[in-house]
């Protein structure tokens, strides 16, 4: 293993504080993309807010992607790979809400506690969201140090060390090396963004199968459905103790329940037809990019409202069954502290994505017994069933053959309603 560069700060202590998982701050970036589209769909012209949205680029990060296109309201051409990162920085956070930020031994540094790759295929459009376990041991390539030089490569480090080592650019490079995918767009958001963005969207519905009382996050929920926002939403996404098998892998599937519910809400009339909600959502994001320090950072390629609209238009009509949330396949190390990537299994997933083939899940909903499937969601974008008197269409496209993924890949689709399983 290569030596760690001390100038990059201490690496994460992986077995001590495993309960920090503020995924909503990552999801809010995806929500911004959908919200921009919704503003336009609700009759608010995108160009009317161009100057305001230009603030998104003030603190953007160059990840070496393509230049922004001239203004154009239409689907982005080709496929899209968008990396979403949630960091655990204490900069700008409320110590009353996050007491660990008052601990001088724990507050320094910034790790990518959440890392997700959103893949939107070329026509026909499919969306696959791949969650990468933060404690997965991976090679970290030589990354720019921000001073014109570079850090040394490391052969095996937990994935969440990449952000602390070289920022958003380094996390992008690490995922590119792991998956073989080229990432065009990226964004990262911190804790304050979690609370602000979840408040702006009006909360997300979640389900738990039994009572949960977790002293580690402070979250208490009774069995049933709850609408969570703000601090409670953050607590739900961090929770590990008291659900499934108590593992970090179980927590990922719990987060995927939240993600599916958020997608269904963002695609529903409750959000997309409400200009007031959408405007609040968008202006909240702008405020997060302008805060000191910024709580929302986008790559320079993404920090452009036209780009957001183009990406959103490519995603807006994808049916729930083709919005798939999967976990990068792993196996535990002998000490059960970290996990190792199952590259041969993962290669089958990324081969299907590269071939633009729809995928079919064959594995469990959760690697850590975190959720169970309880129902089917009604898709507002789905075409109504033809009546008996309707003549068959000669132009109907043949159904696509789905690629069955290996059973080692856990996940769900947005069409599946899931419920978090309380730990027995």
């Amino acid at each position: 293993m290569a030596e760690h560069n001390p100038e990059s700060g201490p690496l994460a202590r992986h077995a001590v504080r495993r309960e920090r998982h503020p995924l909503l701050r990552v999801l809010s970036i995806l929500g911004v993309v959908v919200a921009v589209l919704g503003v336009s769909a609700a009759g608010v012209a995108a160009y009317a807010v161009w100057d305001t949205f230009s603030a998104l680029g003030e603190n953007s990060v160059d990840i070496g992607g393509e230049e922004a296109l001239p203004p154009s309201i239409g689907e982005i051409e080709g496929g899209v790979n968008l990396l979403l990162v949630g960091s655990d920085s204490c900069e700008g956070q409320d110590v009353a809400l996050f007491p660990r930020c008052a601990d001088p031994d724990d507050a320094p540094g910034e790790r990518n506690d959440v890392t997700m790759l959103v893949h939107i295929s070329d026509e026909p459009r499919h969306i696959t969201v791949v969650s990468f376990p933060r404690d997965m041991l991976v090679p970290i390539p030589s990354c720019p140090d921000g001073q014109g030089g570079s850090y040394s490569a490391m052969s095996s480090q937990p994935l969440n060390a990449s952000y602390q080592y070289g920022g958003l650019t380094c996390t992008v490079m690490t995922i590119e090396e792991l998956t073989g995918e080229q990432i065009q767009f990226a964004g990262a958001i911190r804790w304050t963004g979690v609370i602000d963005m979840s408040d702006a969207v009006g909360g997300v519905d979640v389900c738990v199968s039994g009572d949960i009382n977790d002293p580690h996050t402070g979250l208490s929920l009774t069995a049933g459905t709850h609408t969570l926002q703000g601090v409670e939403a953050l607590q739900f996404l961090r929770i590990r103790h008291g659900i499934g098998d108590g593992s970090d892998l179980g927590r990922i599937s719990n987060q995927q329940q939240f993600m599916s519910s958020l997608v269904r809400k963002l695609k529903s009339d409750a959000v997309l037809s409400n200009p007031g909600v959408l405007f609040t959502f968008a202006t909240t994001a702008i405020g997060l990019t302008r805060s000191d320090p910024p709580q929302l950072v986008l790559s320079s390629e993404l920090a452009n409202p036209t780009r957001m609209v183009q990406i959103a238009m490519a995603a807006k009509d994808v049916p729930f069954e083709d919005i798939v949330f999967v976990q990068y396949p792993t196996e535990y190390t002998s000490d059960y502290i970290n996990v190792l990537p199952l590259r041969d299994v993962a290669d089958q997933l990324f081969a299907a994505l590269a071939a633009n083939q729809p995928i079919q899940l064959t594995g469990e909903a959760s690697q850590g017994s975190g959720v169970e499937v309880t129902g089917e969601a009604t898709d507002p974008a789905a075409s109504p069933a033809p009546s008996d008197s309707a003549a068959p269409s000669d132009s109907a496209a043949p159904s696509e053959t789905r690629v069955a993924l290996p059973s080692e890949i856990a996940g769900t689709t947005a069409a599946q309603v899931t419920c978090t399983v309380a730990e027995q």
Side-chain angles (χ1 to χ4, degrees):
M1 180 183 302
E3 293 293 329
H4 171 60
N5 188 330
E7 295 180 357
S8 66
L11 291 179
R13 292 172 296 282
H14 306 288
V16 179
R17 295 182 180 268
R18 298 172 62 91
E19 71 273 11
R20 299 192 299 269
H21 258 274
L23 181 61
L24 181 57
R25 56 186 184 252
V26 178
L27 298 176
S28 62
I29 301 173
L30 181 59
V32 170
V33 175
V34 179
V36 173
L37 171 67
V39 170
S40 178
V44 180
Y47 294 110
V49 293
W50 177 269
D51 288 339
T52 304
F53 271 100
S54 66
L56 289 170
E58 292 178 0
N59 295 297
S60 63
V61 173
D62 182 8
I63 62 170
E66 58 193 67
E67 294 296 325
L69 293 176
S72 172
I73 301 301
E75 288 189 21
I76 193 168
E77 295 182 2
V80 174
N81 279 324
L82 169 63
L83 191 73
L84 305 179
V85 167
S87 76
D88 67 354
S89 171
C90 280
E91 288 190 84
Q93 309 308 323
D94 186 343
V95 176
L97 293 177
F98 307 106
R100 84 163 186 90
C101 291
D103 182 350
D105 294 328
D106 195 35
E110 183 169 14
R111 296 168 284 262
N112 51 306
D113 267 1
V114 176
T115 307
M116 297 191 311
L117 179 65
V118 180
H119 174 85
I120 305 174
S121 70
D122 198 357
E123 294 290 351
R125 301 289 191 182
H126 312 285
I127 298 175
T128 306
V129 182
V130 185
S131 294
F132 299 86
R134 68 177 211 161
D135 293 323
M136 180 169 60
L137 297 176
V138 297
I140 296 180
S142 175
C143 296
D145 63 6
Q147 306 298 321
S150 60
Y151 296 122
S152 300
M154 295 185 287
S155 61
S156 180
Q157 288 289 334
L159 175 62
N160 71 344
S162 63
Y163 199 96
Q164 182 168 344
Y165 197 53
L168 182 59
T169 301
C170 194
T171 302
V172 167
M173 294 173 64
T174 301
I175 296 300
E176 286 183 332
E177 183 172 291
L178 176 68
T179 64
E181 295 287 315
Q182 181 181 0
I183 297 170
Q184 301 97 346
F185 311 104
I189 192 167
R190 294 169 171 170
W191 277 335
T192 297
V194 182
I195 297 169
D196 292 351
M197 295 301 284
S198 65
D199 285 341
V201 79
V204 174
D205 293 337
V206 301
C207 164
V208 293
S209 67
D211 295 350
I212 294 175
N213 184 11
D214 178 29
H216 297 272
T217 62
L219 180 65
S220 295
L221 294 176
T222 57
T225 301
H226 303 265
T227 301
L228 303 184
Q229 62 188 90
V231 174
E232 269 197 325
L234 178 59
Q235 291 170 328
F236 182 79
L237 292 164
R238 293 173 58 202
I239 194 170
R240 171 168 66 92
H241 303 279
I243 66 170
D245 62 5
S247 73
D248 189 54
L249 301 183
R251 174 166 46 192
I252 286 180
S253 56
N254 179 62
Q255 295 162 349
Q256 289 176 341
Q257 183 213 157
F258 191 98
M259 292 158 64
S260 288
S261 183
L262 175 62
V263 165
R264 292 193 293 268
K265 180 167 186 175
L266 290 172
K267 285 171 67 71
S268 73
D269 288 341
V271 174
L272 295 183
S273 65
N274 191 327
V277 172
L278 292 166
F279 186 75
T280 298
F281 201 71
T283 54
T284 298
I286 293 168
L288 294 173
T289 67
R290 286 177 163 173
S291 62
D292 185 19
Q295 298 299 305
L296 173 62
V297 176
L298 305 177
S299 68
S300 55
E301 298 78 16
L302 182 61
N304 180 316
T306 294
R307 275 294 194 199
M308 290 184 177
V309 172
Q310 290 172 331
I311 294 172
M313 292 193 75
K316 69 182 179 68
D317 293 325
V318 178
F320 285 166
E321 66 178 2
D322 284 325
I323 302 176
V324 185
F325 301 95
V326 298
Q327 179 178 315
Y328 190 96
T330 59
E331 62 181 359
Y332 276 106
T333 55
S334 59
D335 57 10
Y336 283 86
I337 294 176
N338 297 101
V339 292
L340 300 172
L342 296 176
R343 290 178 178 267
D344 290 344
V345 175
D347 286 347
Q348 297 179 58
L349 165 65
F350 290 104
L353 299 186
N356 199 22
Q357 295 175 297
I359 56 179
Q360 176 183 348
L361 297 170
T362 67
E364 300 292 333
S366 169
Q367 281 194 313
S369 305
V371 298
E372 59 186 359
V373 177
T374 58
E376 193 83 6
T378 300
D379 191 345
S383 301
S387 63
D388 293 339
S389 60
S393 171
D394 293 335
S395 61
S399 60
E400 298 176 275
T401 301
R402 295 184 179 273
V403 174
L405 296 181
S407 61
E408 293 93 335
I409 299 179
T412 57
T413 74
Q416 296 174 300
V417 178
T418 58
C419 191
T420 295
V421 177
E423 190 172 18
Q424 301 299 317

